[in-house]
Every structure is written in C-alpha cells, then in structure tokens.
Amino acid sequence: MKIKSTILAIVLSLGLSNAFAQESDSTAFHLNYAVGADMSFLKVAEDNGTEFKDNGVVKPGLDIFRDHGYDWIRLRLFHTPDELPNDLEYTIELAQEAQERGMKFLLDYHYADSWADPQKQPLPTAWEGLDYKTLQDSVYEYTKKTIEAFREAGVMPEMVQIGNEIRNGMMWPTGKLPDNWDAFAGLLKAGIDGVDTGRGQEMRPLIMVHYDNGADAEGNREFYDNIESYGIPFDIIGLSYYPWWHGNLLELRENLLSLMQHYDQDIILVETAYNWRPSEYTEEGELAPWPETPEGQKDFLESVHETLININSTRIKGIFWWEPAVTGGLRSRGYFDDEGNALPVINVFDKYKRQ
C-alpha cells in the first residue's frame, strides 16, 4: 500500500511538473544566449542595389549573418516616419525574411517618428499636444494594434523593447526624466500592457527596458531602482556599450556585476559597435583602445563578448551589434567595406555557433 501511494505521489508530481512546464512554455519565451544585430537598414540597402559579399560571393545579407552564427534580428519601429523606412509594413517584411531563415525577432519601439535616444525623445507628430491620459491611452492602443499586426502576419516578436535608450525618459516633455517619473512609469506600463493585450493567445514576448550607458554602474542603479519602485514588470535589462561614449571594459564588467547583484532580470548587451577605419578617435594624441582598423574592430567584438561570457552567470543572455549592414556615413561601424565585402568581424561567432 505504501509503495502504491509513493508511486501515485510521483505520478501526480510529474503530472503537475509537466503541467507547470507547459503553462510556462505557452506564456513566456525561454531565452538562450542570443547572438544578434540590429539590421533595420538591411532591407532598404538591398532594395537600393547594395550587394553584400562573403568571401567574394554575393549573398543576401541575412544569409551571411545566419551562416556566421547570428540567430536574432533586432528591428526598430517608428510611428510615422517621413524619411526613414522603418514603418510597420517595412518592419513586418524584414521580420518575415529573418524568420524564414530561423532567426528570432526583437522589436524596438522608438515611440517617435524618427530617432529616439538619450539626447532626444520626441513625440510622434500624431500625439503632439495630447494630455497625459490621452497620451497614455494612445501608447496602449498603438502598441496593441502594432503587436496584433505582427501576430497576424505570423511574426510575433520573441522580445519587445519598450522605448529606445530611455535613461532620460521618453515622449518628451510628458515623460522626460528626472522630473516626470510618475508620467514616464505610466507610459512604460501602457506600452507593456499593449504588448500583452495585442499578443492574444500567442506566447508572451520577453519585455526589455533599455538603458544606454552600459559602463555607468551608478546611473544604472538609480534608474533600475526607480523602475522597481514603480512595480514595472519586465524581464530583460538592455544595455548599450560604445567605448568612445561610455567607458572601458572594466567599467562595463563592474556594471554587469552590480546589476546581477541587485536585480533579478537577465541582461543583454543590446547595442555595441566599433569602427573599422578612423572615425571616433581622430584627435591628435587621442589613443583608441583598439585600432580603428578591420582587425581592431574584430578584436573589439571578441573582447566585449569574452567580457560577457567570462562572467559566471546564466543571466548574461547575449550581445547585439548595432547596424552591421548600414551604408552611408555610418558605414565605418558596419561589417562591410565600401565595396560590400565582409570584414573579419563577421567571423567572431563562428567558433561558438557553427556546427
């Protein structure tokens, strides 16, 4: 009788465990270490005739990245862009192309008609002059409807970033920090609620909150302490790291350790980049931490990636390059030379990801 009871208890335990596992799997995305890139300009570059080459062979850009271990794409979404291509239709099409290659999708809401970053967080023109409550409702409805559009197109993002580099808030002046934390928190929650409603019965995307300076331990603590004090539900701390703006690798490491000590969320370095020709370190006597050369660019990414993976924690969840397929004035931060040839940096993750 005791044996039967024990067996029954084990069976029930396994059944409950499986039930909980199934519930968890259906409501939240499980994140392994992500190797990705923001490739929001890739499609427009190729549509305008740019050819990308790997070992001299012209290939679709997404194929090149997939072949070198990139399994995530990050795409920004502008509300109503006038000049840049990153509207809803364009973003859905590029997400579909990435999905066809087995890549996962991080959606980056800028909540603006153009760039939103720590220096500027402009309201979309359609929302100018709205009172706070109406703005909050607009954020919710816009987020819900755009997530519904991704869902209906078969490209639900696995992760969603509510605002881009929002250290100084978003949707200025209403949500500008440090003076308007109450309003900012309400707008952030409205976006998160919009994602959750818009997903319907689909798996819940992971929610990222993005702070720009990945080497600023004190600033990160103050920001995320405030986020926690407002009870904002999120899963991922997103960071940027550009050494000419943010500091050295030891400062990056110090901040990562501090974040892991004080918060429960996983961490992704969601933006980083370095130049393959002189661009940022051009003043006389100014020393670049890595040479601004093709090999120096590769060494930079290897050094940053090794800083992440050498921290003994499963909560460090990935790294994303910012715009490796960019053309024009920022091409020096990309992965391709002026003739479209892939630079050595494309090979950094081969030893980690290739079969």
Side-chain angles (χ1 to χ4, degrees), residues 226-257:
N226 277 317
I227 292 289
E228 282 208 334
S229 74
Y230 281 91
I232 294 169
F234 74 108
D235 309 286
I236 307 292
I237 291 172
L239 303 173
S240 300
Y241 178 64
Y242 301 95
W244 57 89
W245 288 325
H246 297 154
N248 60 49
L249 281 182
L250 287 179
E251 290 169 324
L252 172 63
R253 183 176 184 275
E254 178 186 353
N255 183 43
L256 293 171
L257 294 173

Side-chain angles (χ1 to χ4, degrees), residues 8 23 42 52 109 111 116 124 130 143 155-156 172 174 176 179 181 198 204 257 285 295 299 315 325 328:
L8 179 60
E23 180 181 348
L42 175 65
F52 296 108
Y109 279 101
Y111 293 111
L130 298 182
T143 308
V155 284
M156 264 294 295
W172 293 353
T174 304
K176 189 172 184 178
D179 296 331
W181 264 101
R204 183 180 65 82
L257 294 173
E295 282 299 326
D299 290 345
R315 289 172 52 209

Side-chain angles (χ1 to χ4, degrees), residues 48 52 64 99 136 209-210 224 229 231 252 290 342:
N48 289 336
F52 296 108
I64 295 174
Q99 185 188 66
Q136 190 179 35
V209 175
H210 181 195
Y224 287 107
S229 74
L252 172 63
W290 295 265

Side-chain angles (χ1 to χ4, degrees), residues 131-150:
D131 62 72
Y132 170 66
K133 184 63 173 67
T134 306
L135 178 60
Q136 190 179 35
D137 290 344
S138 298
V139 171
Y140 170 79
E141 289 294 335
Y142 165 73
T143 308
K144 177 176 73 72
K145 289 177 181 177
T146 47
I147 290 294
E148 286 173 347
F150 285 107

Side-chain angles (χ1 to χ4, degrees), residues 32-107:
N32 294 318
Y33 192 89
V35 171
D38 190 316
M39 292 184 258
S40 301
F41 281 145
L42 175 65
K43 178 175 166 47
V44 71
E46 292 183 323
D47 287 349
N48 289 336
T50 298
E51 293 182 332
F52 296 108
K53 291 171 271 189
D54 189 14
N55 290 321
V57 179
V58 175
K59 297 180 181 180
L62 286 173
D63 287 353
I64 295 174
F65 288 98
R66 179 202 58 197
D67 292 347
H68 286 279
Y70 287 74
D71 49 14
W72 280 80
I73 189 169
R74 177 183 185 240
L75 298 175
R76 65 181 160 270
L77 180 64
F78 295 144
H79 186 283
T80 311
D82 291 328
E83 300 177 0
L84 298 172
N86 310 104
D87 61 10
L88 181 60
E89 180 182 3
Y90 172 95
T91 305
I92 286 174
E93 290 177 4
L94 187 45
Q96 289 171 330
E97 292 177 14
Q99 185 188 66
E100 289 168 3
R101 293 161 171 84
M103 302 177 85
K104 296 177 175 60
F105 170 31
L106 165 56
L107 175 62

